[in-house]
């Protein structure tokens, strides 16, 4: 027999609703009564009238899964009772529907439901990179929750600390990756707050709570001699040659992002200048085409290129206006380019990791403190010079090197 708690302002009971399904079974529900008003939460379980004890409000032993089902009912009743008591403690007035919302929020009012809205929004906006990165992060949080959804109010600081420990203990993972998981949770929280779905008081991030701070990362670029080695390398494999060309072209334009390089059109080249807007922040501008870049372009001159694209990597995309399809293809091609760059690095006897993104680090490394920050900001297409200062600080070593030499080489 299920023992019910002493009576309080809101009564919570398990009842058998009188609306049978096609199998002749009736739904079990939690009934919440407050001020003579009643709300129901259906539990997704069905039993027949003959299998239900209306006095004890338990499933009879004649039901094949009576023990398991009664344990389930005890748990749900306990959760509902605790939620009602919590509301009674926090509020002087509340309704039966408020208790229901506390126990089982409406669609979108729980974290995983709102997380799906967040992912759907990214997908509709064509933000494939963020979608593909954030989806597994949300799945890992769901894994931590044992597959069940959770109310925003139940995501506490201690829970997030346990989630961080869970990530560390279940997979090889960097501190930066753990922070990225927290950033997604924060984004979903912020979205829910902005849409008035959850009260800001439940926000677990900020001063005195969970602080999100990205750890410093080592940015290592190639040296001038290594770039020269890439330029002079004889490559017979067309895939390796193409990967090297795209990498160098990116480097020649201050480490242009690979997505921007693959989206370049011949119409973007006018009067020996390249005109393009960076996809990340839509900052536009034009740069003179270096002679080295012009030599690369001669290898890609072809009759009627699909969608007027300079490089052929995205020519298989049927609808270039479908941002999601475009970004999906870009991800595939970047993987292809990086795989070939591994082979190129081996042939060029470069011991550093060579990927498309390293072209940006390489430009930063070679430029060092030779170029004014304001000019670097323009070349990098940074919206804020603070970003440029933070980025370029990874590659400016002269002052520290001279200070060390002054002490060591006495």
């Amino acid at each position: 027999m299920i023992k019910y708690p002493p009576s309080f302002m809101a009564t919570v009971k398990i009842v058998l609703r009188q609306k049978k399904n096609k199998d002749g079974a009736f739904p079990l529900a939690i009934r919440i009564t407050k001020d003579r008003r009643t709300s129901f939460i259906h539990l997704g379980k069905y039993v027949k009238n003959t299998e239900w004890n209306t006095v004890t409000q338990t499933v009879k032993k004649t039901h094949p899964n009576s023990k398991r089902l009664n344990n389930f009912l005890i748990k749900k009743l306990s959760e509902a009772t605790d939620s009602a008591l919590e509301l009674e403690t926090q509020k002087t007035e509340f309704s039966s529907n408020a208790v229901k919302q506390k126990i089982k929020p409406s669609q979108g009012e729980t974290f995983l439901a709102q997380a799906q809205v967040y992912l759907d929004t990214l997908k509709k906006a064509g933000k494939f990179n963020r979608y593909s990165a954030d989806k597994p992060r949300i799945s890992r949080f769901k894994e931590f929750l044992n597959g069940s959804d959770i109310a925003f109010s139940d995501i506490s600081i201690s829970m997030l600390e346990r989630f961080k420990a869970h990530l560390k203990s279940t997979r090889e993972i960097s501190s930066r990756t753990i922070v990225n998981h927290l950033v997604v949770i924060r984004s979903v929280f912020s979205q829910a707050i902005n849409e008035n779905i959850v009260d800001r008081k439940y926000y677990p991030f900020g001063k005195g709570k969970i602080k999100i701070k990205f750890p410093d990362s080592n940015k290592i670029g190639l040296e001038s001699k290594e770039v020269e080695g890439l330029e002079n390398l004889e490559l017979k494999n067309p895939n390796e040659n193409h990967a090297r060309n795209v990498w160098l072209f990116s480097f020649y334009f201050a480490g242009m992002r690979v997505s921007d390089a693959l989206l370049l059109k011949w119409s973007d080249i006018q009067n020996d200048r390249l005109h393009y807007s960076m996809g990340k922040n839509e900052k536009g501008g034009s740069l003179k085409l270096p002679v080295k870049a012009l030599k690369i372009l001669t290898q890609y001159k072809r009759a009627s290129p699909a969608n007027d694209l300079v490089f052929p990597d995205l020519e298989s995309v049927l609808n270039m206006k479908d941002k999601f399809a475009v970004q999906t293809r870009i991800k595939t091609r970047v993987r292809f380019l990086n795989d070939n760059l591994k082979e190129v690095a081996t042939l060029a006897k470069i011991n550093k990791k060579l990927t498309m993104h390293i072209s940006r680090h390489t430009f930063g490394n070679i430029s060092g403190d030779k170029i004014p920050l304001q000019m670097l900001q323009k070349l990098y297409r940074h919206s804020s010079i603070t970003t440029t200062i933070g980025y370029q600080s990874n590659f400016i070593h002269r002052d520290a090197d001279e200070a060390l030499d002054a002490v060591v080489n006495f």
Side-chain angles (χ1 to χ4, degrees):
M1 176 178 177
I2 299 176
K3 293 184 178 181
Y4 294 98
S7 61
F8 52 91
M9 291 185 68
T11 58
V12 182
K13 290 186 177 182
I14 296 177
V15 297
L16 196 67
R17 299 281 282 159
Q18 297 304 305
K19 187 177 180 181
K20 63 182 178 181
N21 62 12
K22 61 181 180 180
D23 297 323
F26 296 83
L28 287 164
I30 294 176
R31 185 182 70 191
I32 307 155
T33 305
K34 172 75 167 60
D35 297 334
R36 298 183 181 181
R37 294 186 177 182
T38 301
S39 295
F40 293 91
I41 299 175
H42 288 268
L43 299 173
K45 307 293 183 182
Y46 292 80
V47 296
K48 295 180 180 178
N49 262 329
T50 55
E51 298 169 331
W52 180 248
N53 189 323
T54 55
V55 177
T56 61
Q57 280 134 41
T58 57
V59 178
K60 295 179 181 179
K61 292 182 179 180
T62 54
H63 190 281
N65 293 313
S66 60
K67 187 175 181 180
R68 182 181 297 177
L69 193 49
N70 280 327
N71 287 336
F72 170 79
L73 296 178
I74 290 171
K75 180 182 178 182
K76 290 300 179 183
L77 180 67
S78 176
E79 291 173 355
T81 301
D82 289 346
S83 296
L85 283 169
E86 183 181 344
L87 278 176
E88 186 175 350
T89 302
Q90 293 177 351
K91 300 180 180 181
T92 55
E93 295 184 7
F94 62 95
S95 65
S96 62
N97 191 55
V99 181
K100 177 181 177 180
Q101 292 302 309
K102 173 69 176 174
I103 301 167
K104 187 178 181 181
S106 300
Q107 181 67 27
E109 294 184 355
T110 53
F111 179 84
L112 292 179
Q114 189 64 23
Q116 187 58 54
V117 175
Y118 167 80
L119 290 174
D120 291 343
T121 302
L122 290 179
K123 192 171 185 179
K124 290 176 182 177
K127 297 180 179 179
F128 174 79
N129 290 336
R130 284 182 60 188
Y131 175 87
S132 60
D134 289 352
K135 186 176 181 180
R137 291 166 185 160
I138 290 170
S139 294
R140 291 181 193 115
F141 189 52
K142 183 178 180 179
E143 169 196 294
F144 168 72
L145 298 172
N146 295 319
S148 60
D149 206 344
I150 187 172
F152 282 96
S153 57
D154 291 330
I155 300 178
S156 62
I157 296 171
S158 60
M159 171 180 279
L160 292 178
E161 292 292 351
R162 292 197 304 274
F163 177 52
K164 288 163 63 177
H166 167 79
L167 289 172
K168 288 181 180 179
S169 64
T170 55
R171 48 184 51 85
E172 291 186 11
I173 201 166
S174 67
S175 298
R176 173 62 185 253
T177 302
I178 291 174
V179 170
N180 287 337
H181 282 73
L182 296 177
V183 168
V184 177
I185 295 173
R186 184 180 66 179
S187 296
V188 175
F189 242 105
S190 298
Q191 178 179 268
I193 291 171
N194 291 337
E195 295 179 4
N196 296 316
I197 289 173
V198 62
D199 195 306
R200 182 171 288 276
K201 68 180 180 181
Y202 295 118
Y203 191 63
F205 302 97
K207 187 177 181 181
K209 299 180 181 180
I210 294 289
K211 287 187 177 180
I212 292 181
K213 182 180 179 181
F214 289 100
D216 293 334
S217 58
N218 292 323
K219 293 180 171 62
I220 301 175
L222 303 189
E223 302 291 337
S224 299
K225 289 184 178 180
E226 291 170 319
V227 174
E228 186 178 355
L230 284 178
E231 293 174 330
N232 297 328
L233 188 64
E234 291 290 336
L235 292 172
K236 296 180 180 180
N237 186 309
N239 291 332
E240 293 172 1
N241 182 58
H242 174 61
R244 186 262 307 270
N245 285 345
V246 178
W247 192 95
L248 287 173
F249 192 88
S250 168
F251 167 73
Y252 296 151
F253 289 97
M256 175 191 289
R257 288 180 171 82
V258 60
S259 56
D260 293 327
L262 298 184
L263 285 167
L264 288 177
K265 296 182 178 181
W266 289 106
S267 56
D268 295 328
I269 301 171
Q270 302 289 338
N271 301 320
D272 288 337
R273 296 189 68 84
L274 178 63
H275 304 258
Y276 82 100
S277 295
M278 191 168 74
K280 188 172 183 178
N281 59 15
E282 297 185 349
K283 287 190 72 66
S286 73
L287 291 169
K288 178 184 177 181
L289 280 168
V291 173
K292 292 180 179 181
L294 284 168
K295 288 181 179 179
I296 289 176
L297 291 177
T298 59
Q299 298 180 44
Y300 294 90
K301 285 288 185 180
R302 57 203 187 278
S304 303
N307 297 309
D308 193 35
L309 292 166
V310 172
F311 298 111
D313 299 77
L314 307 183
E315 288 188 333
S316 62
V317 179
L318 299 177
N319 181 11
M320 291 297 290
K321 292 183 179 180
D322 185 342
K323 292 183 179 179
F324 200 81
V326 170
Q327 291 300 320
T328 302
R329 181 61 178 168
I330 287 175
K331 183 177 182 180
T332 301
R333 293 306 294 175
V334 170
R335 190 183 302 119
F336 167 83
L337 293 171
N338 286 338
D339 286 343
N340 280 281
L341 285 172
K342 290 179 183 178
E343 300 300 322
V344 173
T346 300
L347 294 171
K349 297 180 180 180
I350 295 173
N351 297 321
K352 299 171 183 174
K353 184 178 180 181
L354 186 63
T355 65
M356 284 304 307
H357 193 65
I358 295 300
S359 70
R360 195 166 182 82
H361 295 341
T362 299
F363 187 88
N365 185 48
I366 294 175
S367 64
D369 55 2
K370 301 171 186 175
I371 302 174
L373 283 171
Q374 290 80 1
M375 182 54 64
L376 281 170
Q377 179 190 3
K378 184 176 181 179
L379 292 172
Y380 286 143
R381 305 283 179 94
H382 285 157
S383 298
S384 169
I385 197 167
T386 303
T387 304
T388 308
I389 293 171
Y391 184 84
Q392 201 62 15
S393 64
N394 293 276
F395 309 110
I396 298 176
H397 312 295
R398 187 177 63 185
D399 290 346
D401 292 346
E402 289 178 353
L404 186 64
D405 281 343
V407 176
V408 175
N409 298 325
F410 54 88

